Amino acid sequence: MEKKFMLTKYFSILLLIIALPLSAQINIDTDQAIHVKSFAKSDIFADVYSINIGQGADKPFSLIKPYTTRDNKLLLSCWPSELYLYDLEGKFLKRIHSGDQLPVNTYDRNKNYFYLEVLDGGVPTWYGIDLKIGEVVTRLPKPSIYEKQIVNFKRTGADEYVCFVNNQSGNDSVFVVFFDGKGKVKCTIPEERTYKKNGEDNPYFQGQFYDYDGKHYFKELLWGTTVYEIGDCKLIPHIQFDLGSKTPNYAYRDMPEKNKGTYQLGTVMETDTRIYFSYNVNKETFWGYYSKADGKTYVTKLPSKDKITDKGESCNFLPAWDSGFETVTAIQSKDKEPVIVVGDLK
């Protein structure tokens, strides 16, 4: 009888442990951050260099999103969907694509594919362009659930994908969707937050994904305070940002005047030694890093664009997503020509 009681007791404890919410592996308390005037370039980057690219294909660039590709090329995605390829010396190689499709800003580094969104027979579909040959080689149908509220995605396996539902209506029931290469939904993570719609919102609202140490990670841009490891039909807390009284109120997502003074987290990148991040507050941008070695956090205010030089002399530019251990940023030189600055983060 006593043995049965003990087994029941241990089983109950095990159930309780399983039922407890998972805690993040890393906690970053922004109230404890050390504010500095600026970062020394040598303290942030193992290497930093700039690429002068001028104007490509006789057209001015607009809204550049740069990537360095797997085969050491420079890819520029420009609005609405112009794709240009350069070498890392700034030599123009070719225009890969030109059209009126939406640039999804999903670059699959392993396959060297860049994706655009098109209507394929009336079905919203992501077309994957093989950058090596400049042709569409794969078609990935959007999962039909909330297709207008899904912008980008992440491939997590041979035929496994995940995407973020951006809750444009304010009361959607799905947060994250797992699906296959045919667009068939495998499973979903529920959305438990709501907000009152108060006007037109930007439908082009992406989720942020990055790879680190052989794993895939996700964070909701601006409103998310947790970086999750992507598991099999689950999200596992990996990094938690404790914003304290500066945490934005999701219920007022569509009412910015009621979120004044709060921090809206932007990009997060991770290396072996640090976690880089940025946040916006009262129309100002700050960025910095958390040191894994000593648990300390350092932040600085992002300077105005005219103080960021084309030689990378000022390293105060935001970390970029989907870029491995390097941050790739487009700026303008004094003569208004675009320059790409690439920094290998420590």
Side-chain angles (χ1 to χ4, degrees):
M1 184 72 175
E2 183 179 351
K3 183 177 181 181
K4 182 177 180 181
F5 172 77
M6 291 299 294
L7 286 173
T8 303
K9 180 181 177 181
Y10 289 139
F11 184 67
S12 299
I13 294 173
L14 178 61
L15 285 178
L16 179 61
I17 293 173
I18 293 174
L20 289 174
L22 293 172
S23 60
Q25 298 171 1
I26 300 172
N27 290 278
I28 300 175
D29 187 344
T30 56
D31 282 341
Q32 301 299 317
I34 300 169
H35 288 254
V36 297
K37 185 177 180 180
S38 63
F39 291 124
K41 184 171 62 175
S42 60
D43 184 47
I44 299 295
F45 301 109
D47 187 24
V48 60
Y49 59 95
S50 59
I51 305 170
N52 295 276
I53 57 175
Q55 300 292 353
D58 300 322
K59 289 184 66 174
F61 292 122
S62 62
L63 298 177
I64 301 173
K65 177 65 175 74
Y67 301 82
T68 51
T69 68
R70 187 188 67 184
D71 54 351
N72 293 320
K73 301 290 193 305
L74 175 65
L75 176 69
L76 304 184
S77 170
C78 307
W79 187 264
S81 69
E82 304 283 340
L83 293 178
Y84 302 98
L85 201 63
Y86 289 77
D87 66 19
L88 295 185
E89 299 297 322
K91 179 184 177 182
F92 174 74
L93 299 177
K94 60 182 176 179
R95 176 191 282 171
I96 295 176
H97 180 82
S98 179
D100 57 1
Q101 298 87 3
L102 290 176
V104 182
N105 283 343
T106 293
Y107 171 56
D108 188 327
R109 182 177 292 269
N110 290 328
K111 288 193 172 185
N112 203 26
Y113 293 173
F114 191 85
Y115 288 83
L116 302 171
E117 183 179 328
V118 301
L119 281 176
D120 188 343
V123 178
T125 302
W126 290 306
Y127 276 16
I129 299 176
D130 186 330
L131 298 182
K132 186 174 182 179
I133 62 176
E135 296 179 3
V136 175
V137 295
T138 186
R139 290 167 173 79
L140 178 63
K142 271 190 175 185
S144 58
I145 182 170
Y146 300 124
E147 62 188 23
K148 293 182 179 179
Q149 300 185 69
I150 296 171
V151 178
N152 60 334
F153 64 91
K154 176 69 177 178
R155 185 173 66 86
T156 58
D159 192 43
E160 298 176 342
Y161 303 84
V162 63
C163 59
F164 161 65
V165 179
N166 60 31
N167 195 9
Q168 288 299 304
S169 71
N171 59 2
D172 290 325
S173 60
V174 174
F175 180 53
V176 168
V177 177
F178 295 81
F179 62 104
D180 63 20
K182 295 182 179 179
K184 182 180 179 181
V185 175
K186 178 182 177 182
C187 55
T188 61
I189 303 292
E191 173 63 87
E192 299 177 350
R193 302 164 302 171
T194 61
Y195 66 93
K196 183 178 179 180
K197 198 71 180 173
N198 195 44
E200 293 296 326
D201 204 347
N202 180 9
Y204 199 72
F205 193 68
Q206 305 178 54
Q208 182 198 350
F209 301 95
Y210 72 84
D211 293 336
Y212 170 69
D213 197 25
K215 299 178 181 179
H216 309 294
Y217 295 93
F218 159 74
K219 187 187 77 68
E220 179 184 7
L221 191 62
L222 301 183
W223 299 100
T225 58
T226 305
V227 175
Y228 297 96
E229 178 189 339
I230 301 171
D232 185 15
C233 283
K234 61 183 177 181
L235 297 177
I236 306 163
H238 174 55
I239 303 168
Q240 178 65 46
F241 288 86
D242 181 1
L243 307 183
S245 62
K246 303 297 184 181
T247 304
N249 190 331
Y250 192 83
Y252 298 139
R253 170 176 148 171
D254 221 20
M255 304 172 70
E257 68 279 2
K258 291 194 174 184
N259 266 309
K260 287 183 178 179
T262 62
Y263 293 173
Q264 293 188 314
L265 285 170
T267 305
V268 175
M269 288 181 68
E270 185 171 1
T271 68
D272 289 342
T273 58
R274 294 173 176 175
I275 296 166
Y276 292 88
F277 64 94
S278 66
Y279 62 86
N280 299 323
V281 54
N282 294 337
K283 297 183 178 180
E284 293 183 325
T285 301
F286 292 78
W287 78 288
Y289 66 89
Y290 166 87
S291 170
K292 293 181 180 180
D294 59 20
K296 294 181 179 179
T297 304
Y298 304 84
V299 298
T300 189
K301 182 180 177 182
L302 188 74
S304 59
K305 289 184 178 181
D306 60 353
K307 293 183 179 180
I308 302 177
T309 72
D310 58 350
K311 301 299 183 184
E313 292 167 357
S314 172
C315 65
N316 288 330
F317 53 88
L318 297 178
W321 49 4
D322 294 335
S323 299
F325 287 166
E326 62 188 9
T327 182
V328 188
T329 303
I331 64 174
Q332 282 189 337
S333 62
K334 293 179 180 179
D335 58 4
K336 304 300 181 183
E337 294 292 321
V339 175
I340 307 302
V341 181
V342 182
D344 295 325
L345 293 169
K346 287 187 174 180

